[in-house]
Amino acid sequence: MSILVSLLVLAVVSFAFDPTIYVSAGVGEPDTLDIHQAYDTVSGEVIYNVYESLIAYKGSSLTEFEPRLATQVPSVKNGLIRDGGKTYVFPIRKGVKFHNGATLTPEDVEYSFERGLLYDPAGGPMWMLWNAIFGVNSLNEMIQKYVGKPVSEVFKDGEPLPEYKDKIVQMYKEVIDPAIEVEGDNVVFRLARPYGPFLTIMAHTVGWSAVLDKETSIKMGLWDGKPDTWWKYRNIAKEKSPLYAIAIGTGPYRLVEWDRTNRKVVLEAFKDYWRGEPRLKKVILLTVSEWGTRKLMLEKGDADDIAVVLEYLDQIRGNKDIQIIDNIPSMSVTVVGFSWSVSPNSKYIGSGKWDGNGMPPDFFSNINARKAISYVINYDAVIRDVLKGYGTRIPAALPNGLLGFDPTLPLYKFNLTEARKALEKAWDGKALKIGLKFTIAYNTGNLMRQRIAEMIKTYLEMIAPGKIKVDIAALNWPSYLDAMRKAELPMPIFNWLADFPDPDNFIFTFYHSAGTYAPRQGDNFKKFVSTPRKELGGKSLDELIEMARNSSDPEERAKLYVQIQKFAIDNYISIPVYQPVGVRAQRAWVKGWYPNPMRPGNDYFELYKQQ
């Protein structure tokens, strides 16, 4: 154990059974606290407890909701869903305080959603609301649709060209502003067409549905709320956002500290919280990469819960002071992905050439290159030995439990002979003749991803000794996310947790050219899925996905999703490794925890400690 780790353990030892303080030890750290850019579970856990949405999931349910900043959940029965499902009315709660003392108003709600839509950072979560409300996938798509020109021709150096400026202002006035309006004490959302999953998107307080204090946001340097300036605030870099390391919400906890050097977040109970002051007065979120250290902290009571390594789960079984909760339902998938067009700036493809010392950026645009990887993963061994059985095989990037899941679809197989055959066909066998060198990265402390990376390395080097060289690199969580978003990782290993419990959230995310993962998969991928295919009846994969998401017939949607998955499987778009089964390790004195697969971490308002 390093001196730094030893000091970390000693630093929290005084918290052992203090019923007012809660310590959680994980393996990741926040990426950003900007609610409209954060799109990972670590950032999401902080945001979930600091901010609030209009409605929330009720307990463990994925279909029932309860009011938060709205006083009622809209329904047809109570008259708050109107116009055949195109209008949603949210009565805004009065007397709610922000952490800075300001009072919540309906104008704060309108501003928050409009700011998120107009900011729309690349790779962020706002596509969900763009699609739900306007039927497009991004701000850029709306600009092109409204102006009739691609964004690259409308803007120069971040400003609209003079001939387009009036049109851009009118787009806000005629399209965006009327879609989210304050009417008395209500905020009204007007959708372009009925969209069934709308309430599930609104219920997820990970960022996109959270509410900011308008006046404070403007003072901090966010969008000033004017129709003729909004483009100055769109898609700004992560660290340049005024909300990057600041959070001011209405939730049960306020942000006291985000120590990025020591990888620690401190939250403090908000005494004026409208539902009552939380029982836990302080929450400390620590990033502790080493399993042995986390295990020791849990055993000594210096941590109340820890991120578990399933491979070593038996090491803490049988301890009467530790409770293991297993078989927790999950709505997520873990996949090995590919960048079909790796960034030329990547340091993970060596020379970037066919010279034996690198990998060409477009290596994985070849189907046989991807196919070879599908054969070097021992899926059963991963589930048996690394996950200790806490995972199930899935044929595509769609979890069991959602519409369109089909257990009869074929599963990829572990077969080294077939892996070599595929490499012989890929790029005329250059990987075997000339050689290949690249790096697989994983996020530090994630032993599962490390094991998968090691497995791929071992078997690739085994079938092509002396020719294929695979290095493995451990990156901290924000660096790993940044490298993925910039398409620098040739083979990222990642997990997708549902934003909302609908197949569109997985199928669009993984397989559409405008999906969240499209930028990290590259231009070759985007071209492939947007090109009409004979085997798809002359349609592109993009078109099938859009047909499925826009259909109101569950049976039709299910058939389309099976067709989409079959195409993805046949073309090795990504390699699904497993659907996890959740496991939680906590001190026996922790009470009030409940599962919900949509939640990005703990709900600290409900937790308390009791011996």
Side-chain angles (χ1 to χ4, degrees), residues 285-351:
L285 309 177
L286 299 173
T287 302
V288 183
S289 300
E290 300 83 4
W291 160 251
T293 306
R294 296 199 305 277
K295 171 178 171 285
L296 180 62
M297 292 173 67
L298 185 65
E299 289 172 336
K300 293 178 63 179
D302 298 333
D304 297 293
D305 73 59
I306 63 170
V308 298
V309 175
L310 295 172
E311 192 172 345
Y312 303 140
L313 187 61
D314 287 345
Q315 294 179 7
I316 56 175
R317 285 195 187 277
N319 186 326
K320 64 179 177 59
D321 296 321
I322 297 174
Q323 181 185 18
I324 296 175
I325 305 171
D326 55 14
N327 296 315
I328 302 169
S330 82
M331 197 61 71
S332 64
V333 296
T334 294
V335 308
V336 172
F338 303 106
S339 177
W340 299 31
S341 312
V342 182
S343 167
N345 299 321
S346 172
K347 59 185 178 182
Y348 304 104
I349 54 172
S351 65

Side-chain angles (χ1 to χ4, degrees), residues 184-197:
D185 293 330
N186 302 324
V187 175
V188 181
F189 290 77
R190 294 184 173 88
L191 281 55
R193 85 292 192 209
Y195 185 71

